[in-house]
């Protein structure tokens, strides 16, 4: 049975992918039909109306020997993976135009063929876009709009674009850091683009397209959910293999390598975010990602990691004992945590608000708290703080359960109403005992359907006994031991 599960991770995770994996890299995505991208653009037309148009800038060429990854916003509208591309959506004609750099034969010989306006017919056929031009034509076409009287409102995203392993929160932090540096201070790429549009075409009233795209991305289509589920399956299988590989003496970065092998072996195009592999006191650092500590007997290990699978993410976390056995204190806290965690999962249902769900969960948490005896006053204080934090959240009208997941790990969208089909999110409560550097945090991915809340990652062990069984077995690192780290 153990061999079967490991083969599932390392060889045949997704049997349906085998045909795609054997094909040459396609010019256009096979994850979505052109009709889905057209439907997304149609919803943009509907939102902005017939008296406006939208312009979205694609991602630039990457710096260094790095594979190009399109920005989420651009990919969402057309699926095109070409650097320095633009898409214009004309609300009056409900017509889409793609602007691409011209063919570079030298680069094609070195890196492979890319879509260009020289293959206009092919591009239209592959993408369903109405018209294709070179990027030098964009300014001329904008000037035509400026001379007209109908379309004077131009929508473009104001928020920073989400690229490789980027969520909106960290993208905004990057902009803030640059602005705060007196020897840097450069505007964001989006800010510079907006300034250029305003200086060159002052006739336009420029508005933010970000809220429209965010609202559309909040509800996932069946095909989007399929990709999120594949990312979740890979993340869960990686965590399980890392549990098997965990033994006292291994380095945190070794588990990073185990997980990435499984991701890339199964067609992931990257990581959704840097691996959070935090042993012992490192778990108290919320986004610890250095991965440099050697794990010790008696440590607890927190691991939070997921792949980028076809531009869609997941986000899962588990905690386990490095030596394969929860000691009495660890088990005392962990079992309490899991009881409360499952109370939240059980309460999640379509049609309920986060506030209603939390109120129901807190009632069950209070019962668990009253039935539990703790060995130390610090544990009792920590568990009461944990439940009280949920109680306070439940009393807030705009309460949230966790964070959305989709094209970004911390995905976009503002909604505090009832849960609706197509919503995807995680919960990740933390039980902290700062006196002893203890952080217990688990995380699962939930998809809301018409009938229920589907916990996609429910095959990933959560109970202590299931986790211990995995950690006490041998994993990839024991089967293939690495060389001793080089001394500096």
């Amino acid at each position: 049975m153990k061999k079967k599960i490991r083969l599932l991770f390392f060889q045949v995770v997704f049997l349906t992918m085998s045909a795609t994996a054997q094909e040459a890299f396609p010019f256009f995505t096979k994850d979505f039909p052109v009709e889905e991208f057209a439907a997304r653009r149609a919803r943009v037309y509907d939102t902005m109306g017939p008296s406006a148009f939208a312009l979205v800038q694609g991602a630039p060429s990457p710096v260094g020997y790095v594979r190009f990854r399109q920005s989420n916003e651009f990919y969402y509208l057309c699926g095109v993976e070409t650097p320095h591309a633009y898409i214009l959506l004309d609300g009056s004609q409900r017509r889409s135009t793609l602007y691409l750099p011209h063919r570079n034969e030298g680069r094609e010989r070195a890196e492979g063929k890319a879509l260009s306006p020289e293959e206009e017919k092919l591009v239209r056929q592959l993408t369903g876009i109405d018209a294709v031009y070179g990027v030098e034509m964009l300014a001329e076409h904008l000037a035509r709009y400026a001379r007209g009287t109908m379309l004077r409102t131009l929508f473009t995203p104001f928020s920073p674009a989400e690229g490789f392993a980027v969520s909106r929160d960290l993208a905004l932090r990057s902009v803030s850091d640059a602005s705060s540096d007196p020897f840097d201070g450069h505007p964001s790429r989006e800010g510079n683009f907006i300034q250029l549009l305003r200086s060159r075409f002052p006739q336009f009233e420029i508005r933010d397209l970000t809220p429209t795209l965010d609202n559309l991305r909040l509800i996932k289509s069946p095909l989007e959910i399929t990709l999120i589920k594949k990312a979740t399956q890979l993340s869960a299988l990686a965590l399980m293999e890392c549990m098997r590989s965990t033994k006292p003496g291994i380095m945190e970065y070794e588990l990073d390598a185990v997980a990435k092998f499984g991701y890339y072996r199964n067609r992931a195009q990257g990581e959704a975010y840097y691996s959070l592999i935090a042993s012992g006191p490192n778990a108290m650092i919320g986004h610890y990602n250095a991965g440099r500590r050697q794990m010790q007997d008696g440590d607890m290990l927190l691991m939070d990691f997921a792949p980028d699978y076809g531009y869609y993410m997941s986000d899962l976390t588990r905690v386990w004992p490095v030596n394969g056995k929860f000691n009495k204190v660890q088990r005392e806290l962990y079992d309490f945590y899991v009881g409360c965690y499952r109370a939240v999962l059980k309460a999640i249902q379509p049609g309920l608000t986060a506030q209603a769900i939390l109120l129901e969960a807190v009632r069950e948490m209070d019962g668990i708290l009253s039935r539990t005896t703790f060995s130390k006053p610090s544990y009792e204080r920590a568990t009461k703080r944990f439940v009280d934090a949920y109680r306070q959240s439940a009393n807030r009208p705009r309460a949230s359960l966790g964070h959305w997941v989709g094209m970004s790990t911390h995905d976009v969208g503002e909604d505090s109403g009832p849960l609706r089909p197509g919503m995807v999110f995680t919960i990740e409560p933390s039980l902290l005992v700062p006196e002893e550097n203890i952080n217990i945090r688990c995380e699962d991915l939930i998809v809301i359907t018409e009938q229920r809340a589907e916990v996609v990652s429910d095959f990933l062990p959560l109970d202590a006994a299931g986790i211990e069984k995995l950690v006490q077995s041998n994993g990839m690192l024991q089967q293939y031991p690495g060389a001793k780290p080089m001394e500096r």
Side-chain angles (χ1 to χ4, degrees):
M1 184 63 181
K2 291 179 181 177
K3 279 189 176 181
K4 184 176 180 181
I5 293 175
R6 296 186 72 213
L7 282 173
L8 184 67
F9 183 47
F10 292 115
Q11 294 182 16
V12 289
V13 172
F14 304 122
L15 295 175
T16 57
M17 291 164 30
S18 58
T20 302
Q22 293 171 7
E23 296 174 1
F25 187 80
F27 289 133
F28 189 72
T29 177
K30 294 184 180 297
D31 291 324
F32 298 99
V34 295
E35 291 80 8
E36 178 142 344
F37 291 112
R40 295 171 183 176
R41 295 193 294 271
R43 291 197 292 273
V44 174
Y45 298 138
D46 293 340
T47 302
M48 67 182 179
S51 59
F53 66 107
L55 180 62
V56 179
Q57 183 182 40
S61 295
V63 177
Y65 294 108
V66 180
R67 288 194 186 99
F68 174 75
R69 185 193 184 280
Q70 188 57 272
S71 68
N72 290 342
E73 297 79 0
F74 194 89
Y75 184 90
Y76 184 80
L77 291 172
C78 64
V80 172
E81 297 180 270
T82 301
H84 296 281
Y86 296 80
I87 185 169
L88 189 150
L89 306 179
D90 185 322
S92 65
Q93 301 182 57
R94 300 178 73 89
R95 178 179 172 85
S96 58
T97 303
L98 189 65
Y99 299 87
L100 299 173
H102 285 282
R103 185 178 183 187
N104 184 326
E105 294 185 6
R107 186 173 296 181
E108 285 186 0
R109 286 192 296 272
E111 299 178 2
K113 194 172 178 63
L115 292 179
S116 68
E118 280 70 24
E119 292 86 22
E120 183 255 356
K121 184 177 180 180
L122 173 64
V123 175
R124 290 176 56 202
Q125 177 185 340
L126 289 172
T127 66
I129 294 290
D130 297 306
V132 181
Y133 295 93
V135 289
E136 79 284 355
M137 293 300 296
L138 176 58
E140 180 176 330
H141 290 175
L142 290 175
R144 292 177 187 176
Y145 283 110
R147 290 197 300 269
T149 58
M150 292 292 294
L151 302 184
R152 290 301 180 90
T153 303
L154 190 164
F155 283 90
T156 193
F158 284 11
S159 293
E162 302 158 0
F164 173 71
V166 174
S167 291
R168 176 81 52 77
D169 50 357
L170 289 187
L172 287 168
R173 186 178 77 174
S174 177
V175 172
S176 173
D177 287 349
S179 300
S180 301
D181 182 347
F183 288 94
D184 189 334
H186 68 273
S188 68
R189 189 164 185 258
E190 291 71 27
N192 184 61
F193 184 50
I194 292 165
Q195 288 178 15
L196 288 173
L197 289 172
R198 283 178 172 155
S199 63
R200 294 174 181 179
F201 301 101
Q203 300 88 344
F204 299 139
E205 176 190 358
I206 299 179
R207 296 185 184 178
D208 189 5
L209 186 64
T210 298
T212 296
L213 295 179
D214 288 359
N215 188 53
L216 294 180
R217 285 172 53 185
L218 179 63
I219 304 298
K220 275 67 177 178
S221 72
L223 286 177
E224 288 181 291
I225 290 173
T226 295
L227 294 174
I228 294 170
K229 285 183 174 181
K230 288 181 177 180
T232 301
Q233 289 168 343
L234 276 183
S235 179
L237 290 168
L239 287 169
M240 291 167 70
E241 184 60 29
C242 287
M243 288 179 190
R244 295 186 193 94
S245 288
T246 299
K247 301 291 181 288
I250 73 166
M251 304 297 292
E252 292 167 336
Y253 61 73
E254 293 183 84
L255 296 186
D256 175 270
V258 170
K260 285 177 179 173
F261 176 82
Y263 294 165
Y264 288 106
R265 178 68 177 83
N266 291 286
R267 199 195 152 209
Q269 65 180 19
E271 304 96 67
Y273 49 95
Y274 44 43
S275 61
L276 310 179
I277 303 172
S279 63
N282 289 338
M284 293 299 291
I285 305 170
H287 274 197
Y288 168 83
N289 59 84
R292 296 172 183 168
R293 185 174 181 271
Q294 187 177 48
M295 301 179 199
Q296 305 298 315
D297 194 346
D299 282 348
M300 290 277 279
L301 171 67
L302 184 153
M303 184 165 176
D304 180 344
F305 200 21
D308 174 345
Y309 188 89
Y311 287 85
Y312 287 81
M313 315 295 166
S314 187
D315 192 1
L316 303 182
T317 305
R318 284 294 185 269
V319 172
W320 61 87
V322 167
N323 64 11
K325 188 73 175 176
F326 289 93
N327 64 34
K328 184 179 178 181
V329 168
Q330 292 166 347
R331 185 68 181 261
E332 175 183 321
L333 290 169
Y334 188 78
D335 285 350
F336 169 83
Y337 175 90
V338 169
C340 294
Y341 186 85
R342 285 187 166 138
V344 180
L345 287 177
K346 186 171 67 174
I348 299 171
Q349 296 294 331
L352 297 181
T353 63
Q355 188 178 30
I357 290 164
L358 293 176
L359 286 169
E360 176 62 28
V362 166
R363 281 192 282 270
E364 188 167 340
M365 290 181 190
D366 282 334
I368 296 169
L369 191 58
S370 67
R371 295 190 299 271
T372 306
T373 301
F374 296 99
S375 60
K376 294 183 181 181
S378 59
Y379 298 167
E380 186 172 358
R381 290 194 300 270
T383 53
K384 285 182 177 178
R385 282 197 304 269
F386 179 83
V387 176
D388 284 343
Y390 264 101
R391 196 185 327 278
Q392 292 168 14
S393 293
N395 289 321
R396 290 198 293 265
R398 294 185 65 82
S400 65
L401 297 170
H403 63 79
W404 308 118
V405 179
M407 297 189 82
S408 288
T409 306
H410 294 172
D411 208 23
V412 296
E414 294 288 338
D415 192 292
S416 57
L419 295 178
R420 293 175 280 153
M423 288 181 166
V424 180
F425 58 94
T426 72
I427 64 168
E428 52 173 341
S430 283
L431 172 58
L432 299 170
V433 185
E435 296 89 342
E436 297 184 24
N437 285 328
I438 294 173
N439 180 9
I440 300 175
R441 186 179 89 232
C442 293
E443 185 174 20
D444 284 274
L445 186 129
I446 297 108
V447 172
I448 300 299
T449 71
E450 293 282 356
Q451 294 79 27
R452 65 189 180 104
E454 179 185 358
V455 184
V456 178
S457 48
D458 63 355
F459 69 97
L460 175 62
L462 179 64
D463 62 287
I467 287 173
E468 287 177 342
K469 185 177 180 181
L470 280 174
V471 182
Q472 290 170 15
S473 60
N474 284 328
M476 184 180 180
L477 293 182
Q478 287 70 51
Q479 187 174 356
Y480 304 102
K484 291 183 179 179
M486 296 177 63
E487 294 185 3
R488 295 186 179 181

